[in-house]
Amino acid sequence: MDVFGLLGNPVGHSLSPPMHEAAYDQLGLEARYVTFEPEPADLEAAIDGADALGITGLNVTIPFKQDVLDCVEADELAARIGAVNTIDFTGSGTPTGHNTDAVGAMRALRDHDVTLEGADAVVVGAGGAGRAIAFGLADAGATVEIANRTEATAHDLAEAVPGATGHGLEADMLADLLEDAEILVNATSVGMESDETPVPADALHGELAVMDAVYQPLETRLLRDAAEVGATTVDGAWMLLYQGVEAFELWTGDEPPVETMNEALRSQL
Ligand code: NAP
C-alpha cells in the first residue's frame, strides 16, 4: 500500500484527497491519500517521520511551501521559485522537492488553447502562487508584468524572473498594462472570501485569456467580468487539477487519468 498525502495547516478543506483517490481507483492502485496538519515548529520532524514511515509522496501547502525547502533536495525549478509543493520520497537519500504549481498553471492555460510563447502576460499577485506562475510563464517564453499590492514584493520577484517588470496595483497602471496583453492571471486571494476583483472590469478586453488561481468559488467576479467582455476564462480548478496530475505522474510513473481526476475534483466544488 502506497501512502500519499498533503502537508499543510489547516488542510481540512482540501480537495486533493478525492482527486488523487479517484485516480488510484481508476488505475487499480493500492494507495491512499491523507491529510497531515503538523504544527509549524514540527515541520522538519514531520518530513523525517514521513520518510521513516515509508510515505511515498507529499503535497505541501500553506504555510509550509517555503520552509520545506530546508528539509528536501529541491530541483532546479522549485529552487528558483523558492517553494516546494510536491515531495518525492521514492529515491534513496534526502527526499526531493518539486514545484508542480508552475507546470500545472501552464498546462491549464494551454488546455484552453492559450499561446504562451511570445505572449504579453500580467500576473497580479507575488506570493507563492504568483511566483510559480511568473516563472512558469517566463520559462514558456512569455513577457511577464507583475503587479502586487505590496509593490516591493513585485519588484523583488521581477528581479528574479527573466524579462519581468514589477509594479504596484493601481487601477490606471493595470489598465495600461492590460491594453496590449494577451494573458492575465490573478494569483492573489482576492475573490475567495468576498465577491471582489483585483482588476477593474473596464481594464479587461475580449483578446485576453484570464485565469484565476482562486478556485473557491469557481466563478469569481474577475472571471464573470472577463466572460462579459468575451475573454477566454480559465478557472482555478484547472491549475489545481494539473498540479495534482503532475504530482501523480512524478510519484507513480503512471499515465494520470486526467478526466477522472477532473470529475472527482469538480464534484467537490
Ligand atoms: P500568499 O503566498 O499568501 O500570497 C497572497 C497574495 O495575495 C499576495 O500577492 C498578496 O499581496 C495578495 N493579496 C492578499 N490580499 C490582498 C488584497 N486584499 N488585495 C490585493 N492583494 C492581496 O498566497 P498564495 O499561496 O500565493 O495563494 C494565492 C491564491 O492562489 C489563494 O487564493 C490560493 O487559494 C490560490 N492558489 C491556487 C492554486 C491552484 O492550484 N488553483 C495553487 C496555489 C494557490 P501582498 O504581497 O501585498 O500581501
Side-chain angles (χ1 to χ4, degrees):
M1 160 86 69
D2 281 318
V3 178
F4 301 91
L6 174 66
L7 202 61
N9 198 339
V11 286
H13 60 280
S14 175
L15 304 171
S16 290
M19 175 171 70
H20 282 275
E21 294 209 333
Y24 309 149
D25 287 349
Q26 172 78 25
L27 299 186
L29 302 181
E30 257 197 72
R32 293 297 310 272
Y33 189 106
V34 290
T35 56
F36 299 104
E37 213 170 86
E39 289 303 319
D42 295 331
L43 176 62
E44 195 174 342
I47 305 282
D48 287 347
D51 200 10
L53 289 170
I55 284 177
T56 309
L58 289 177
N59 284 132
V60 184
T61 188
I62 286 174
F64 300 128
K65 281 184 181 182
Q66 284 85 23
D67 292 346
V68 87
L69 276 165
D70 294 335
C71 313
V72 300
E73 190 76 49
D75 72 10
E76 189 267 339
L77 178 61
R80 268 195 294 145
I81 294 171
V84 162
N85 81 325
T86 303
I87 304 175
D88 183 9
F89 294 91
T90 57
S92 56
T94 310
T96 56
H98 311 267
N99 191 307
T100 67
D101 282 336
V103 183
M106 296 313 108
R107 276 187 75 171
L109 286 166
R110 288 199 173 101
D111 204 46
H112 289 76
D113 298 325
V114 180
T115 303
L116 308 180
E117 297 74 16
D120 288 323
V122 177
V123 177
V124 179
R131 292 187 65 86
I133 291 165
F135 277 103
L137 284 165
D139 283 359
T143 302
V144 186
E145 306 283 348
I146 301 159
N148 195 52
R149 178 179 63 177
T150 308
E151 190 173 343
T153 315
H155 290 300
D156 287 348
L157 177 55
E159 269 181 33
V161 175
T165 312
H167 309 268
L169 202 56
E170 300 80 28
D172 288 357
M173 191 272 313
L174 276 177
D176 279 353
L177 290 178
L178 286 170
E179 201 175 335
D180 298 318
E182 287 99 30
I183 298 172
L184 165 66
V185 182
N186 173 38
T188 74
S189 46
V190 178
M192 202 161 70
E193 282 178 353
S194 59
D195 194 38
E196 288 179 282
T197 172
V199 181
D202 58 12
L204 304 174
H205 56 79
E207 305 305 311
L208 274 173
V210 181
M211 181 163 84
D212 206 327
V214 172
Y215 53 84
Q216 271 170 329
L218 259 189
E219 196 188 55
T220 56
R221 179 158 162 207
L222 171 65
L223 293 186
R224 281 204 315 278
D225 291 345
E228 250 171 51
V229 295
T232 300
T233 59
V234 184
D235 68 51
W238 290 106
M239 176 175 166
L240 186 62
L241 169 70
Y242 282 117
Q243 64 76 32
V245 163
E246 291 283 329
F248 177 94
E249 192 168 7
L250 192 141
W251 289 327
T252 66
D254 289 325
E255 180 80 25
V258 177
E259 260 320 301
T260 302
M261 293 173 79
N262 190 30
E263 277 166 26
L265 174 62
R266 281 175 191 275
S267 70
Q268 310 292 313
L269 287 165

